Amino acid sequence: MLIRHVPAVPAILALALPVPAGVATASSTGVTAPAVPACRESRLAVAATAADRPDTLRISVTNRGAGACVVDRIPTVVCGDLDGPALPVPDADSAPYRLPAGGSAYAAVRALDPVSTELRLVDALTVAGDPAHRGRTFDAATLGAPDGIRVWEPVTTWWHRSSAEADAVLDRHTD
């Protein structure tokens, strides 16, 4: 029986591998670096505006804190009193998204499936940077829909570095 020796990953390669936000890492001295903390809701500014396309909104979150923090990579978007948040596109599980101090993240929300033959009208939309947060509620009139926000099978992108990136993802996931 031949046994091969597989060398360990060289230390220089291990340093080049990305480490997700919120994960503590050990340095060469054996000291563990602190994990990036979750963003406190009071330190986040949440915004929502109508987009230049039908039934679509742009949302953002800005870290007003003095240090980096993490939110969930999927924004929480709830339409009025409907049950459940908008679904993420592409489909994903929760994971941390790092916001530097003063940094912003952007997402696009499509409230109405373009091929839908059904809809509901809601009078508000609530957006949160993290599911643990209460979020900020925006009334329909503020979002350019004085008669109500048209909703059926809403979806949201993950957080992105720009609204253009979020729009592009939403464009790729139009059914």
Side-chain angles (χ1 to χ4, degrees):
M1 173 185 225
L2 178 65
I3 299 176
R4 289 187 174 174
H5 172 70
V6 179
V9 175
I12 192 70
L13 288 179
L15 293 175
L17 297 175
V19 177
V23 175
T25 58
S27 70
S28 61
T29 62
V31 177
T32 301
V36 177
C39 295
R40 292 182 18 209
E41 186 168 13
S42 63
R43 299 286 180 165
L44 296 177
V46 178
T49 59
D52 56 355
R53 46 183 94 185
D55 305 306
T56 303
L57 304 166
R58 288 195 177 112
I59 60 175
S60 65
V61 62
T62 301
N63 176 5
R64 298 180 301 184
C69 62
V70 296
V71 293
D72 194 283
R73 76 171 162 185
I74 304 167
T76 302
V77 180
V78 178
C79 300
D81 60 354
L82 300 181
D83 56 342
L87 297 176
V89 291
D91 190 29
D93 292 325
S94 293
Y97 184 91
R98 186 180 186 277
L99 281 174
S104 296
Y106 305 87
V109 178
R110 187 179 62 231
L112 182 65
D113 184 333
V115 298
S116 176
T117 58
E118 300 181 51
L119 67 91
R120 293 198 47 196
L121 289 176
V122 298
D123 59 359
L125 180 99
T126 302
V127 178
D130 194 272
H133 298 167
R134 289 181 33 194
R136 180 174 172 203
T137 300
F138 301 88
D139 65 67
T142 302
L143 297 173
D147 297 327
I149 301 167
R150 301 173 346 144
V151 179
W152 194 261
E153 297 183 7
V155 296
T156 181
T157 65
W158 305 358
W159 291 119
H160 293 276
R161 292 177 292 182
S162 72
S163 57
E165 286 180 20
D167 289 347
V169 169
L170 197 59
D171 288 345
R172 286 193 301 271
H173 288 87
T174 300
D175 296 329

